[in-house]
Amino acid sequence: MAEVHSISSFMVSNCKLSQYGVDIFHDPTLYRSVVGVLQYVTLTRPELSFAVNKVCQFMAAPLDSHWALVKRILRYLMDTLFHGLLLQPTSVTKPLALRTFCDADWTSDVDDRCSTSGAAIFLGPNLISWWSRKQKVTVRSSIEAEYRILTQTSTKLTWIHALLTEFQVPFTTPIIFCDNQSAVSIARNPVFHSRTKHMEIDVFFIREKILAKQLSIVHIPALDQWADVLTKPLSAARFEVLRDKLNVDSTK
């Protein structure tokens, strides 16, 4: 890898990986070792979370196609060696904005049709928490996939809410930005609940937070959804735009 060319983006927009294939990678131990190290990189490089989460799913029996993505990630790291998560100072005399972008890519896994969800939580101007995960069950609609990540995000925000309150840090009502209009409508309007009995617990959990004014859910256009970078492969131009939104910048 020392002599390979670096690249500015590690995944192509139409990348679809499967656990099935005949191109078995010759050294699974090497694969697991490199991918294990990459998990630590995501602690300061949130834009890598989706790709690293994806290659982690093939630890048991990696293929050459999986190893090709791992090498692309390494080439990308060579190109962005001095990039890192930028943390900016902010005043605590005024309430800090607590904003979250969450998104789900419905049935994105080609093997079991599970969805991929991701979220990015900002406290003031700084990104403080993020994740990219494959959902554990197959859902029947994109609304349910989006609502699952809304519930996970709400649970995380409830914990952060309690922590900031204990530390007496002033902050505004947490806001979740979601690009699925139907999911936002279900959260706000109880008329929709009769159509979603199979996800009743999630619906009422979020509804309770909204009624208590502990949470606000806002619809945003898909182009303004920063969490896209945590749920799906993107074009190089789109990836670089969203990487900047996550405050990943060069330290040089």
Side-chain angles (χ1 to χ4, degrees):
M1 293 296 296
E3 298 180 359
V4 300
H5 296 291
S6 59
I7 53 175
S8 59
S9 178
F10 51 83
M11 291 190 76
V12 292
S13 57
N14 60 351
C15 178
K16 295 289 184 181
L17 296 179
S18 172
Q19 62 179 318
Y20 303 110
V22 295
D23 55 330
I24 306 297
F25 184 56
H26 70 281
D27 191 351
T29 301
L30 174 63
Y31 182 93
R32 294 168 190 142
S33 176
V34 175
V35 172
V37 172
L38 287 176
Q39 293 184 65
Y40 289 98
V41 177
T42 61
L43 296 176
T44 56
R45 300 292 297 273
E47 84 278 19
L48 288 169
S49 297
F50 170 73
V52 173
N53 173 265
K54 186 54 104 174
V55 295
C56 283
Q57 296 173 23
F58 308 111
M59 291 282 210
L63 305 177
D64 286 340
S65 55
H66 307 150
W67 179 244
L69 176 55
V70 172
K71 290 195 293 184
R72 285 186 65 91
I73 296 173
L74 294 174
R75 290 172 62 190
Y76 168 77
L77 285 172
M78 290 178 61
D79 187 67
T80 58
L81 191 60
F82 295 99
H83 280 60
L85 187 61
L86 177 64
L87 298 178
Q88 307 172 52
T90 184
S91 173
V92 294
T93 58
K94 297 180 181 179
L96 295 174
L98 188 55
R99 304 169 299 145
T100 301
F101 296 83
C102 69
D103 191 29
D105 190 16
W106 182 44
T107 64
S108 58
D109 193 288
V110 297
D111 295 322
D112 55 18
R113 288 305 173 188
C114 286
S115 305
T116 300
S117 57
I121 301 177
F122 290 81
L123 179 61
N126 298 311
L127 180 64
I128 61 170
S129 181
W130 61 90
W131 63 88
S132 176
R133 299 171 187 157
K134 178 180 173 180
Q135 294 186 358
K136 296 181 179 180
V137 297
T138 304
V139 297
R140 291 177 283 177
S141 67
S142 59
I143 299 175
E144 187 174 355
E146 294 278 359
Y147 221 87
R148 282 184 175 275
I149 183 58
L150 278 176
T151 306
Q152 294 170 11
T153 305
S154 300
T155 303
K156 183 73 170 181
L157 284 175
T158 299
W159 180 83
I160 295 175
H161 183 287
L163 185 65
L164 293 176
T165 301
E166 183 177 348
F167 288 161
Q168 299 183 354
V169 176
F171 61 95
T172 60
T173 301
I175 299 175
I176 298 179
F177 294 102
C178 174
D179 61 7
N180 188 295
Q181 184 69 68
S182 297
V184 174
S185 298
I186 291 172
R188 292 177 174 174
N189 191 347
V191 173
F192 287 84
H193 291 182
S194 61
R195 305 182 193 177
T196 55
K197 289 184 179 179
H198 57 288
M199 42 192 263
E200 187 172 308
I201 295 177
D202 289 346
V203 168
F204 280 102
F205 176 80
I206 295 177
R207 183 69 181 162
E208 181 183 89
K209 297 297 180 183
I210 293 176
L211 290 175
K213 300 188 183 302
Q214 297 177 353
L215 186 66
S216 176
I217 298 179
V218 177
H219 176 261
I220 57 170
L223 284 177
D224 296 327
Q225 179 53 270
W226 299 356
D228 267 355
V229 72
L230 301 173
T231 61
K232 57 180 71 71
L234 303 170
S235 66
R238 177 69 172 159
F239 171 77
E240 290 181 5
V241 168
L242 295 183
R243 182 182 64 187
D244 292 341
K245 296 294 186 182
L246 294 182
N247 293 340
V248 176
D249 202 357
S250 175
T251 57
K252 293 185 68 176

